[in-house]
Amino acid sequence: MERTIGLMSRRIKSKSSVAKNAGNQMVMLAAYRDLEKLELCSDTTMDNNNDTSKIRINDEAIFQLEDGDDQPQLCNPYTSLLTNYSHWHLPTHVKNYWLRKYPQEQCEIDKNIVVGTILHIQGNIFSSEINNEVNNARIRNFVQISSLLYDVYARQRSHVPELKWGSFYGELLMFFSNKYNDHEHLLCLVKIYNNIQKNEAGVAYGTYSYRSTTTGRLYVTNVEDIEGHCAYIPSAEYSSRYYYPIIGFVPNELNLGDTRLI
């Protein structure tokens, strides 16, 4: 207990928001402990009093665009090419991403990518389809994707565009870094579920179960658009229905997007 208190007290830097900073540090510490179990975290260093003073991830086992432990990190990185994932039509989805992001710029997309099997972001650990986890491992790649912008009238060319923000649900297939002109982003390929609805309480539900063979919408977006982990809860009343609550769920605040329009 004393070692834990000593560890936490040294990590708390804020003097005005101590409770909030302490909570964030506890989440980050829990994430690092999780990474230790995955053998992605280095041995902890000890100070003169033999107290754990700092925990960090092995530098050789991560890839990140900016310095700092609070930056998104790809674990188990390796270099590859967009064309190596043509079975998911990755070159096309990446091209669409950059066109959405920088519609005024013209450039050939860099075909080289850095792929990671696990994403560490803001104290959360997300896995991917290409990460070889054991069958009974907890589900780490079913998520809610938030803040995706779409045009309500995308299928009506003669109509004035009306943009809205929406949330979507799906499985993370892979994480990677890609360059376009002077830009480099950490991206993820997601299999977004179709025909998601919400009940009276605002909880999303659908017919997809984990790793369902049902076709979804493949989509590339920034890893920072990942809102958080979701769970699969089978309905006790309806067959082939699953509820998808997200951690920290707030009733009736869900704004579902339309996968046909993104």
Side-chain angles (χ1 to χ4, degrees), residues 1-40:
M1 177 65 73
E2 292 179 356
R3 294 184 62 185
T4 302
I5 293 174
L7 171 61
M8 291 303 304
S9 63
R10 281 190 295 276
R11 297 174 68 92
I12 298 172
K13 305 299 181 182
S14 176
K15 295 183 179 180
S16 58
S17 303
V18 177
K20 182 177 180 180
N21 189 203
N24 291 338
Q25 292 301 327
M26 290 177 68
V27 170
M28 187 67 70
L29 182 60
Y32 281 171
R33 294 299 192 195
D34 204 9
L35 287 172
E36 275 188 319
K37 295 178 182 179
L38 298 174
E39 299 181 351
L40 296 174

Side-chain angles (χ1 to χ4, degrees), residues 133-184:
E133 291 193 303
V134 295
N135 292 332
N136 61 348
R138 55 182 167 173
I139 300 174
R140 301 172 186 260
N141 70 321
F142 177 45
V143 297
Q144 182 190 96
I145 303 291
S146 294
S147 301
L148 295 189
L149 193 63
Y150 66 98
D151 180 9
V152 176
Y153 300 107
R155 293 194 166 190
Q156 302 178 34
R157 295 185 178 181
S158 60
H159 205 289
V160 177
E162 181 180 334
L163 301 180
K164 283 190 176 182
W165 298 98
S167 296
F168 301 83
Y169 292 79
E171 298 174 27
L172 297 166
L173 302 182
M174 64 181 296
F175 310 111
F176 60 99
S177 172
N178 185 240
K179 295 179 181 179
Y180 181 72
N181 289 348
D182 296 329
H183 315 290
E184 183 173 10

Side-chain angles (χ1 to χ4, degrees), residues 3 10 46-52:
R3 294 184 62 185
R10 281 190 295 276
M46 310 297 287
D47 63 13
N48 294 331
N49 296 320
N50 290 326
D51 286 333
T52 305

Side-chain angles (χ1 to χ4, degrees), residues 166-205:
S167 296
F168 301 83
Y169 292 79
E171 298 174 27
L172 297 166
L173 302 182
M174 64 181 296
F175 310 111
F176 60 99
S177 172
N178 185 240
K179 295 179 181 179
Y180 181 72
N181 289 348
D182 296 329
H183 315 290
E184 183 173 10
H185 293 181
L186 290 185
L187 307 173
C188 58
L189 176 64
V190 193
K191 174 187 173 182
I192 296 181
Y193 293 174
N194 295 317
N195 303 319
I196 300 300
Q197 303 178 60
K198 61 180 180 181
N199 63 9
E200 310 79 43
V203 179
Y205 69 88

